[in-house]
Amino acid sequence: MTRNFFGTDGIRGRTNQMPMTAAMAQRVGQAAGAHFLRGGHRHRVVLGKDTRLSGYMMETALISGFTSVGMDVVMVGPMPTPAVALLARSMRADLGVMISASHNPFEDNGIKLFGPDGYKLSDADEAAIEALLEREPKLVPPAEIGRARRIEDARGRYIHAAKMTFPEHLRLDGLKVVVDCANGAAYQVAPAALWELGADVVAIGVSPNGTNINDGCGSTSPDLLKWTVTSSGADIGIALDGDADRLIVVDEKGEVVDGDQLMALIASAWHRRGALMGGGVVATVMSNLGLERFLEGQGLTLERTQVGDRYVLETMRTRGFNVGGEQSGHIILSDYATTGDGLVAALQVLAELVTSGQPASALLRQFEPLPQLLKNVRFDGGAPLEAASVKSAIASAEARLQGNGRLLIRKSGTEPLIRVMAEGEDEALVHELVDSICDAVKAA
């Protein structure tokens, strides 16, 4: 079945435009609710959101949809995506729903769905929900309409769960940590968890106003974090994105450390302790060749998937890995979470920092990455990758690499962007090839 609404990470788009309208959110609630009405028990959905202005509108519309088909709704307010997945499972809910467009600007929003096991929905479940969206909903009799309630201790539950992933014998006393919450979903829970573990916390991006989420802050805009770390003399900085399922780190010198280096650190540490499962790491085609070589040097493997943390997790589950993620900072540690969790991943990094006694600049440089460049080209429609001129530019670039690098050109699954990436031994050539393909895409 053709996927008309679901992308690589739920449903996402510009608010008040299809598919991110209140009417569509209500239909999604009705369709998803109907799909998960299984068994004779009282059905329940856990509903969270980030801090976008449109979150109120989407939350109300989804509640209307779920309750109209007989589902009770538990609202948890602004909470990280992994917290919603955790609470859905721990509360024995039939469904978890997160209203967020992750790292996108505030004008966008999205709907992420989790099954009763806390995992993102399968392709089959998403296809079934899409089919239901095309039909008139089956509304329940008045006496069977669902109820909605808000729970006040959701933040505390998640903070406790996150802290339980940190080694019990360690503390963060004496460590100065800057945490950038992107004015998003983790603006309360992340600083609180770090403080409770003993860190000297400097919190930025913790003043959401509905429109400043990811605006010059967070994992996709680390300049503010870099400046704060160096100017405050902090030991390390951690940046989350709008829904806190992504992590980027800055060392004490203000240098950015991406997800590849973080996966290398965690996998290596877990391997030494005998805790690493699957014999390696699962990552996407975007991960640097340097990570692959680093793991091979330790007798470990790098299993690559297509872009999207759902595909990383699918491979982890089917092949028995417990560490996986994306260069962009989605890091999945399946011993602790069913989806990417920026705070939990950060706590693993901080544990290694405390244990090693090294400065972050030394600890976090696990390997020397090959020169790699990624650029995005925005487009307004059509199929620029099908243009003969673009195909010719790509073929020419591949020939010039002569097998000493990688080229990856793809359409984003969450935004109207063409992503162009090249990697190789020759940095100047990498830049030249990316620019030539981007110019061809723009012209097309």
Side-chain angles (χ1 to χ4, degrees):
M1 176 180 173
T2 303
R3 296 163 67 94
N4 296 316
F5 302 110
F6 284 93
T8 57
D9 197 13
I11 304 171
R12 190 178 299 189
R14 183 61 57 99
T15 49
N16 273 345
Q17 297 178 19
M18 281 294 288
M20 279 295 106
T21 65
M24 185 63 181
Q26 183 185 52
R27 291 299 298 269
V28 170
Q30 291 168 332
H35 181 62
F36 282 93
L37 285 173
R38 304 164 181 173
H41 62 278
R42 190 73 192 175
H43 293 84
R44 176 185 296 164
V45 54
V46 173
L47 179 61
K49 61 182 179 179
D50 64 22
T51 56
R52 293 165 208 271
L53 179 62
S54 58
Y56 295 97
M57 176 183 76
M58 304 303 287
E59 180 184 51
T60 302
L62 280 164
I63 291 170
S64 174
F66 283 120
T67 54
S68 72
V69 296
M71 267 201 164
D72 293 337
V73 180
V74 177
M75 296 173 284
V76 298
M79 288 285 283
T81 288
V84 171
L86 168 78
L87 291 168
R89 186 167 61 167
S90 69
M91 295 182 69
R92 310 300 192 269
D94 300 277
L95 189 63
V97 180
M98 179 66 180
I99 305 167
S100 176
S102 191
H103 59 280
N104 288 26
F106 91 93
E107 294 93 344
D108 295 344
N109 216 329
I111 301 171
K112 300 182 181 184
L113 303 173
F114 296 89
D117 56 0
Y119 289 98
K120 290 182 179 178
L121 300 190
S122 66
D123 289 341
D125 280 326
E126 290 185 351
I129 292 170
E130 287 220 358
L132 289 171
L133 287 171
E134 304 296 330
R135 306 174 194 166
E136 279 298 312
K138 184 179 179 181
L139 305 181
V140 298
E144 297 177 20
I145 291 172
R147 301 174 184 270
R149 60 175 291 188
R150 187 177 301 276
I151 59 172
E152 303 300 333
D153 64 342
R155 289 194 297 271
R157 296 189 194 192
Y158 174 66
I159 290 170
H160 174 73
K163 286 167 51 186
M164 290 296 290
T165 70
F166 191 75
E168 190 175 358
H169 66 284
L170 296 180
R171 295 178 59 88
L172 297 178
D173 295 66
L175 204 64
K176 191 170 189 176
V177 180
V178 180
V179 55
D180 182 351
C181 298
N183 291 315
Y187 78 101
Q188 293 175 314
V189 295
L194 295 169
W195 176 80
E196 289 182 20
L197 288 169
D200 177 6
V201 180
V202 178
I204 59 177
V206 290
S207 302
N209 61 14
T211 62
N212 62 359
I213 187 170
N214 301 315
D215 186 9
C217 57
S219 63
T220 53
S221 301
D223 286 348
L224 175 62
L225 178 64
K226 292 161 62 176
W227 180 85
T228 307
V229 167
T230 54
S231 63
S232 67
D235 297 290
I236 193 170
I238 61 177
L240 309 174
D241 66 339
D243 68 335
D245 64 355
R246 182 184 295 202
L247 168 71
I248 292 294
V249 171
V250 167
D251 67 24
E252 82 282 2
K253 297 179 180 179
E255 296 297 320
V256 174
V257 182
D258 67 15
D260 283 348
Q261 296 282 2
L262 301 181
M263 284 188 286
L265 172 66
I266 294 170
S268 180
W270 286 21
H271 179 53
R272 289 194 302 270
R273 297 201 303 267
L276 186 67
M277 297 174 61
V281 172
V282 180
T284 75
V285 291
M286 299 298 291
S287 280
N288 196 279
L289 188 57
L291 172 61
E292 188 170 336
R293 294 174 177 177
F294 169 80
L295 293 172
E296 287 175 350
Q298 299 191 41
L300 303 173
T301 62
L302 179 66
E303 294 285 335
R304 292 187 184 269
T305 73
Q306 66 188 91
V307 173
D309 63 323
R310 62 182 294 162
Y311 303 110
V312 171
L313 182 57
E314 181 180 295
T315 300
M316 290 174 66
R317 296 180 72 185
T318 56
R319 300 189 185 179
F321 290 81
N322 61 348
V323 175
E326 298 184 276
Q327 186 186 69
S328 60
H330 284 116
I331 298 178
I332 304 171
L333 306 175
S334 60
D335 287 0
Y336 305 126
T338 57
T339 187
D341 191 321
L343 177 57
V344 167
L347 292 178
Q348 299 304 304
V349 173
L350 293 173
E352 293 307 312
L353 189 64
V354 171
T355 302
S356 70
Q358 299 181 66
S361 56
L363 176 70
L364 299 178
R365 294 299 184 277
Q366 294 285 304
F367 64 88
E368 189 64 35
L370 268 69
Q372 187 185 78
L373 180 65
L374 170 67
K375 287 190 175 182
N376 298 318
V377 181
R378 188 169 291 274
F379 69 102
D380 297 323
L385 294 183
E386 299 301 315
S389 57
V390 175
K391 290 182 178 180
S392 175
I394 293 172
S396 174
E398 288 176 336
R400 294 185 64 190
L401 278 174
Q402 297 179 332
N404 295 316
R406 295 190 305 132
L407 198 63
L408 183 66
I409 298 92
R410 67 182 184 88
K411 183 180 176 182
S412 169
T414 58
E415 299 177 83
L417 300 173
I418 300 297
R419 303 195 190 279
V420 180
M421 188 273 282
E423 179 181 68
E425 304 283 355
D426 186 336
E427 185 171 5
L429 178 61
V430 165
H431 281 257
E432 184 180 340
L433 297 182
V434 168
D435 287 341
S436 67
I437 295 172
C438 286
D439 288 344
V441 172
K442 291 174 185 175

